[in-house]
Amino acid sequence: MRFLSRGVAAVALAALLAPAAQAQSASKIDSLAIRTIYDEALLRGQSYENLRQLTSQVGGRLSGSPEAQKAVEWGKAAMEKAGFDRVYLQEVMVPHWVRGAKEKAEAKVGSKATKFNVCALGGSVATKGKLKAGVVEVTSWDQLAALPDNQVKGKFIFYNRPMNPTFIETGRAYGDAGDQRRRGAIEAAKRGAVGALVRSLSLAHDDYPHTGTMSYDDKVTKVPAAALSTNGADQLSQLLKANPTLTFELEMACQQLPEVKSYNVVGELKGSKYPDEIISVGGHLDSWDLAQGAHDDGTGIVQSMEVLRLLKATGLRPERTVRAVFFMNEENGTRGGLKYAELAKAANEKHVAAMESDGGGFTPRGFGVEADPATLAKIQSWAPLFVPYHSEEIGPGHGGTDIGPLKGQVKALIGYDCDDQRYFDIHHTAADTFDKVNRRELEMGGASMAALIYLISKYGL
């Protein structure tokens, strides 16, 4: 450099510094844009009020139910009212399981009866009146396999392995213990048992039984499966220790009805520069029937719709098309997610990214990303912009159940990540109600999602 003339040296130095200066300028512009998004969300956010309407006007909305259809109508009307460029439905056939009359259960030792709070697992067959049998408690698959046939046949298998409280990420603890719920009835029936009782998937100690989907194998007899609350599971375990010969009575009236036509609800903001490149953001419109489905997944629904509203209200018109999707049937079939991916592939759509919010409406922490290393690195490079909002934890992670079928059609699957320590206390229970949602946390989450989608829309992947 010292051998160049002063003028030439200045030009050369400017050329070297230009990219850094441009990057700094872009970062400042993006920082201001993101601040605008958060201000709009915190001053005029509509997620909370939309959630109030969804939970109070519709409530629980299990696939195939009249309430699920009412939710479709509500979602379409809400997005049309928001003034999105296009709002439409995607037809999808979904399973239709109904719970029937409230479940009843009690343990009997002689003439003494102890009642239990139970609920049928989603998809379970009925008991056809009272089902009475002894109980065998297990805490692992190996323990079940080691039991002689004569100790298992004709009894209930009671799966009492708790979620692991030492896992900091509660989602990991849920996944680790969830095989009991999913496979419990199958494995019980293989051994000649008459039913499955499963400890609720929760770290809380309370009287709320947690429902959730379970599976059958067409080659194995279908036996009823029910969840006990965590307090109930502890109590049954104690009763069995005192008297292993007790009798358990279970009564459930659930049934599987023929499939029903339903819909995904979709709303779009057309991209200003690259309208054929799509970024989708969504949650699942269906919920279990025990409560209002507020955190699971009403919050994800209203946040996804809010992403589009925030971009529209702030004037940050996306360069790429942003699409909000209310998926139907995540809880017991994933038919909506599968149909969305199928239609996207048939239309040869170009999906840049897909984001999902299905972990509750709690305080935002960041995002989990399924992508190749270069794409992940690019998304992580934006983390400093989220530091002021404590939402900068961006790393490898699970995108989401409904967007999973898009894998191979999209550059990145992104899961909105929030503080999940309380989520599984209410997940799939009668406690999942609107009053459990904090307005500020909910609106902050929608702003975080909108901010990342703004960046993806501007820079692509």
Side-chain angles (χ1 to χ4, degrees):
M1 185 74 72
R2 61 183 176 180
F3 298 109
L4 300 176
S5 67
R6 184 173 297 175
V8 173
V11 171
L13 180 61
L16 287 171
L17 295 177
Q22 290 171 359
Q24 186 175 13
S25 176
S27 179
K28 186 174 182 180
I29 292 170
D30 292 336
S31 180
L32 291 171
I34 290 172
R35 179 73 255 186
T36 302
I37 289 171
Y38 275 89
D39 285 351
E40 173 65 23
L42 294 173
L43 291 169
R44 291 171 290 276
Q46 294 182 15
S47 294
Y48 194 69
E49 183 55 36
N50 283 329
L51 183 63
R52 185 198 305 275
Q53 292 176 19
L54 176 61
T55 54
S56 63
Q57 295 176 17
V58 180
R61 42 202 183 274
L62 189 57
S63 292
S65 68
E67 293 79 14
Q69 177 57 31
K70 191 174 179 181
V72 168
E73 295 165 2
W74 174 88
K76 186 172 184 288
M79 288 209 267
E80 288 174 341
K81 183 179 178 181
F84 300 153
D85 296 334
R86 184 185 177 206
V87 179
Y88 56 98
L89 303 179
Q90 294 179 330
E91 183 179 312
V92 57
M93 297 300 294
V94 300
H96 185 195
W97 177 84
V98 293
R99 185 173 301 280
K102 183 173 176 56
E103 304 90 337
K104 298 177 182 178
E106 62 181 20
K108 286 187 174 181
V109 178
S111 60
K112 184 179 180 182
T114 303
K115 294 187 181 300
F116 288 86
N117 288 329
V118 299
C119 68
L121 295 180
S124 175
V125 296
T127 57
K128 299 179 181 178
K130 286 185 180 181
L131 180 60
K132 305 177 184 180
V135 180
V136 177
E137 178 181 358
V138 298
T139 56
S140 71
W141 299 116
D142 289 343
Q143 188 178 358
L144 175 60
L147 289 171
D149 288 342
N150 63 355
Q151 290 186 25
V152 178
K153 191 172 182 179
K155 295 184 179 180
F156 286 101
I157 301 299
F158 168 36
Y159 298 95
N160 195 28
R161 171 162 41 100
M163 284 173 57
N164 190 334
T166 66
F167 291 158
I168 303 304
E169 296 296 332
T170 60
R172 180 186 172 196
Y174 175 76
D176 178 66
D179 54 351
Q180 300 171 105
R181 190 189 73 198
R182 295 187 299 271
R183 293 173 45 206
I186 296 173
E187 300 304 323
K190 284 181 180 178
R191 298 299 307 279
V194 299
L197 304 174
V198 183
R199 182 188 184 91
S200 284
L201 300 180
S202 175
L203 290 165
H205 295 274
D206 58 30
D207 295 316
Y208 289 107
H210 293 230
T211 191
T213 192
M214 48 83 70
S215 302
Y216 285 121
D217 184 332
D218 289 338
K219 298 177 183 178
V220 179
T221 302
K222 295 180 179 180
V223 299
L228 295 164
S229 69
T230 51
N231 282 348
D234 289 342
Q235 185 176 22
L236 180 57
S237 182
Q238 291 168 4
L239 289 174
L240 283 167
K241 287 179 175 62
N243 193 328
T245 63
L246 65 78
T247 301
F248 196 86
E249 296 184 0
L250 178 66
E251 189 171 5
M252 304 195 306
C254 40
Q255 59 180 317
Q256 191 76 46
L257 300 175
E259 292 188 351
V260 174
K261 183 192 297 183
S262 192
Y263 305 90
N264 294 329
V265 186
V266 185
E268 292 181 350
L269 288 184
K270 277 291 183 184
S272 59
K273 289 186 179 180
Y274 313 102
D276 293 334
E277 297 186 17
I278 298 165
I279 304 164
S280 69
V281 55
H284 63 87
L285 189 55
D286 62 307
S287 77
W288 286 108
D289 54 324
L290 296 178
Q292 296 176 327
H295 274 290
D296 187 25
D297 185 28
T299 54
I301 288 297
V302 297
Q303 285 174 326
S304 298
M305 180 164 59
E306 183 73 352
V307 166
L308 274 64
R309 191 200 72 82
L310 289 171
L311 295 175
K312 189 171 185 286
T314 56
L316 297 169
R317 185 77 188 187
E319 295 186 11
R320 290 162 171 84
T321 293
V322 179
R323 180 184 288 172
V325 186
F326 299 171
F327 296 98
M328 181 55 70
N329 183 231
E330 186 272 349
E331 292 292 6
N332 60 339
T334 326
R335 299 285 185 86
L338 291 167
K339 176 58 71 172
Y340 180 84
E342 175 192 322
L343 294 174
K345 187 174 184 179
N348 200 29
E349 291 181 340
K350 183 178 181 181
H351 272 75
V352 178
M355 179 185 293
E356 183 170 326
S357 173
D358 186 20
F362 301 101
T363 303
R365 291 287 180 256
F367 303 90
V369 182
E370 293 182 55
D372 61 72
T375 301
L376 173 60
K378 182 168 186 177
I379 297 172
Q380 287 178 313
S381 73
W382 296 322
L385 293 166
F386 291 85
V387 170
Y389 313 101
H390 309 294
S391 187
E392 73 278 9
E393 296 176 10
I394 301 175
H398 176 58
T401 300
D402 280 313
I403 62 176
L406 282 170
K407 194 166 187 174
Q409 300 183 53
V410 64
K411 290 279 289 182
L413 299 172
I414 304 169
Y416 165 66
D417 188 19
C418 59
D419 186 341
D420 63 2
Q421 297 304 317
R422 292 168 288 160
Y423 183 53
F424 293 103
D425 292 2
I426 62 173
H427 178 259
H428 294 182
T429 75
D432 188 8
T433 50
F434 176 73
D435 59 293
K436 306 300 192 306
V437 179
N438 178 274
R439 179 172 190 157
R440 184 173 178 84
E441 291 178 350
L442 179 66
E443 302 292 359
M444 287 281 286
S448 296
M449 293 162 63
L452 183 54
I453 286 178
Y454 154 78
L455 293 168
I456 297 172
S457 172
K458 181 176 179 179
Y459 297 107
L461 293 177

